[in-house]
């Protein structure tokens, strides 16, 4: 685009902080469950792949049917992905 990031690039800092807290919380929670249920280690990679495709990272929410959008609102990463897209595309 031949443009340097402006002041809107500072909006990445709170987004990265929220994403980091989410990752640490999920990691610690799954680590505790792993102590009692050994199969968690086998289910995490599969769950991460499903979660990746359930998060609008490489597609926009606009391409999905209305029924799917309601379910997508339950995904906490959807809101972060939309915030990242807003900073990159609309700022």
């Amino acid at each position: 685009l031949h443009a340097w990031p402006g002041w809107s690039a500072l909006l990445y800092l709170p987004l990265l902080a929220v994403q980091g807290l989410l990752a640490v919380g999920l990691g610690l929670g799954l680590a505790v469950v792993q102590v009692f249920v050994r199969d968690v280690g086998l289910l995490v990679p599969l769950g991460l792949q499903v979660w990746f495709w359930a998060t609008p990272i490489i597609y926009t929410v606009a391409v999905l049917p209305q029924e799917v959008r309601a379910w997508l609102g339950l995904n906490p990463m959807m809101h972060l992905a939309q915030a990242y897209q807003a900073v990159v595309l609309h700022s």
Side-chain angles (χ1 to χ4, degrees):
L1 297 175
H2 302 290
W4 289 92
W7 289 103
S8 62
L10 292 176
L11 295 174
Y12 279 119
L13 297 177
L15 291 175
L16 285 173
V18 170
Q19 185 177 353
L21 289 173
L22 179 66
V24 168
L26 284 175
L28 288 175
L30 288 172
V32 169
V33 174
Q34 170 73 24
V35 171
F36 300 107
V37 182
R38 309 269 297 164
D39 290 337
V40 170
L42 299 172
L43 293 176
V44 167
L46 176 65
L48 284 176
Q49 284 185 344
V50 170
W51 195 17
F52 173 77
W53 290 107
T55 304
I57 296 173
I58 58 172
Y59 58 88
T60 61
V61 179
V63 300
L64 298 173
Q66 191 64 31
E67 299 83 27
V68 177
R69 291 182 202 176
W71 283 100
L72 208 62
L74 299 174
N75 183 355
M77 279 302 294
M78 187 217 39
H79 305 290
L80 279 173
Q82 284 185 326
Y84 280 121
Q85 289 172 357
V87 169
V88 171
L89 299 175
H90 305 295
S91 296

